[in-house]
Amino acid sequence: MSLFKSCSTFIARGLQRTGQRGSKGISGSLRLTTLGIAFSLSVMLLSVTIILGFREQIHEFAFSQTGHISMNSFGSDWRNSNTPIRVSPELLTFLRQKPYVERVTPIIQEAGLLKTEDNFAGVLLYGIDSNFRGDYFAHNLREGRLPQTSPQQGHAMPEITLPVQTAERMGCRVGEKVRIYFFGDKMRVRVYTLVGVYESTGMELSPALCPLSSLQRLNRWDDNTYSRLMLMLREPSHAERDLSELIASLQKRPNLIGQQDYGLNLGEELQPELFNWLTFLDTNVYALLSLMILVGGFTMITGLIILVLDKSKQIGILKALGATDGLLRRTFLLLAGRLILRGMLWGNLLALALGLVQQHFRLIRLNPANYFMSSVPIHFDPWAWVGINAGTLLLILIMILVPTGIVSRIRPAESMRID
């Protein structure tokens, strides 16, 4: 058995050389085959890397608005609800002690009008405290920082972070004071210090961030009254199961709810347009992966057929010397495997290089109004790369089993007469 293996390896190496005596280069057809596999694999790897980047960014953006689970007043719209909920300290502690809950963040949202001497713009304020998970906003900071969320002492001026569109339109600079007017029974005005500007997305009205306490004082709410709660989970993939468990456990503790009517919703339910868009992207990626595997497979098949026909005289000689069809088929499968692995190596290196360049330099830009981010995102998942490489190797090897059968049809008496 080892003799057959060494013989197949020796013959495969010989067939991989060009027909010129002493030349050590790979033949032109095999070079094209290697390049075709490298190109197909690099496209597949980059496609998955980009779609994972989109998924990560969209999830981060969406859940920064609603949390994995949102608790608000029953029947109200989370985007523009003015109906507050009262959350007792006991209920807040109960929620935070759930093993699957990572963080509970109270939010107060209030619409206002940012006005300067020359212009004005509507702005939606999110009042946040120290429990707010601001990863999305922190990663997209263009200038400055997020606001301090600790209660302001004395007459200290509260801080605010604005979306970039609003800041540029109004000509606001970090360090300046901004006036925001709030409407109700009577007009109220509050002055904030602008401490940061973040790259906002395609939301119709991207939120400005300010301390929770400033909006509680504005609305004359006590410390236990909020617009809604955002629950961040330790395992977001189990959100539906955790929501069911949370509802069941709250129904067993009516004393925690009291007379308040709460609505509990999944973050995905509150922003279906974003997650439907991701599903559409997934479908496109699956189609692209299938197409690229077919391209790589047919490239390998074409190269193998050309090689078999080109080496038919040598195959006839080997058969005349006693080589079996099985030995020759194993030889060509071994040769194909070597070519596939070489193409996969170059494909991995190309995809890795392009991905790292885009990740660090953001050369390919996007319109945030349409794509919710300013550049093509990149997220490397080692297990996804391993799966794509293993799947590509296996599927292409299966596809070339049939073409290797051509070897058995070559007759020594006919092939050896070819000049």
Side-chain angles (χ1 to χ4, degrees), residues 80-94:
N80 50 25
S81 173
N82 292 321
T83 306
I85 57 173
R86 197 173 192 286
V87 182
S88 65
E90 293 78 17
L91 176 56
L92 206 55
T93 301
F94 175 80

Side-chain angles (χ1 to χ4, degrees), residues 95-139:
L95 296 174
R96 286 173 173 162
Q97 288 178 345
K98 285 294 182 180
Y100 48 80
V101 175
E102 179 183 0
R103 186 175 303 176
V104 179
T105 304
I107 293 287
I108 296 179
Q109 58 189 58
E110 190 74 27
L113 185 71
L114 194 159
K115 187 177 183 303
T116 64
E117 295 181 359
D118 304 319
N119 205 349
F120 63 90
V123 61
L124 177 65
L125 277 74
Y126 279 8
I128 59 175
D129 67 2
S130 58
N131 292 294
F132 180 71
R133 183 173 178 175
D135 295 346
Y136 172 81
F137 299 97
H139 292 161

Side-chain angles (χ1 to χ4, degrees), residues 114 123 160-164 166-167 172 178 180 194 196-198 207-209:
L114 194 159
V123 61
I160 192 170
T161 298
L162 290 176
V164 65
T166 303
C172 299
V178 296
I180 299 181
L194 180 59
V197 175
Y198 74 91
L209 304 181

Side-chain angles (χ1 to χ4, degrees), residues 330-397:
R330 286 195 299 272
T331 299
F332 279 96
L333 281 175
L334 180 60
L335 174 59
R338 290 165 62 91
L339 293 175
I340 294 170
L341 290 175
R342 179 171 291 161
M344 290 174 63
L345 173 62
W346 286 109
N348 277 271
L349 291 176
L350 179 61
L352 181 62
L354 293 176
L356 289 174
V357 168
Q358 175 62 23
Q359 187 178 55
H360 290 284
F361 299 103
R362 300 185 178 183
L363 299 179
I364 304 176
R365 310 293 294 181
L366 298 175
N367 183 357
N370 297 326
Y371 292 96
F372 302 94
M373 57 203 73
S374 59
S375 63
V376 172
I378 297 293
H379 177 72
F380 292 103
D381 186 341
W383 289 111
W385 279 49
V386 170
I388 291 174
N389 277 277
T392 300
L393 177 62
L394 179 63
L395 290 175
I396 293 181
L397 284 176

Side-chain angles (χ1 to χ4, degrees), residues 30-45 292-293 295-301 335-348 350 389 392-393 396-397 400:
L30 299 187
R31 273 204 181 97
L32 291 176
T33 300
T34 303
L35 289 175
I37 293 173
F39 172 76
S40 301
L41 182 62
S42 63
V43 170
M44 287 190 284
L45 292 174
M292 287 298 102
I293 288 177
V295 169
F298 282 117
T299 300
M300 190 67 245
I301 290 172
L335 174 59
R338 290 165 62 91
L339 293 175
I340 294 170
L341 290 175
R342 179 171 291 161
M344 290 174 63
L345 173 62
W346 286 109
N348 277 271
L350 179 61
N389 277 277
T392 300
L393 177 62
I396 293 181
L397 284 176
I400 62 176

Side-chain angles (χ1 to χ4, degrees), residues 1-13:
M1 188 66 180
S2 61
L3 179 61
F4 287 146
K5 286 184 178 180
S6 61
C7 184
S8 298
T9 303
F10 176 78
I11 297 173
R13 287 176 179 173

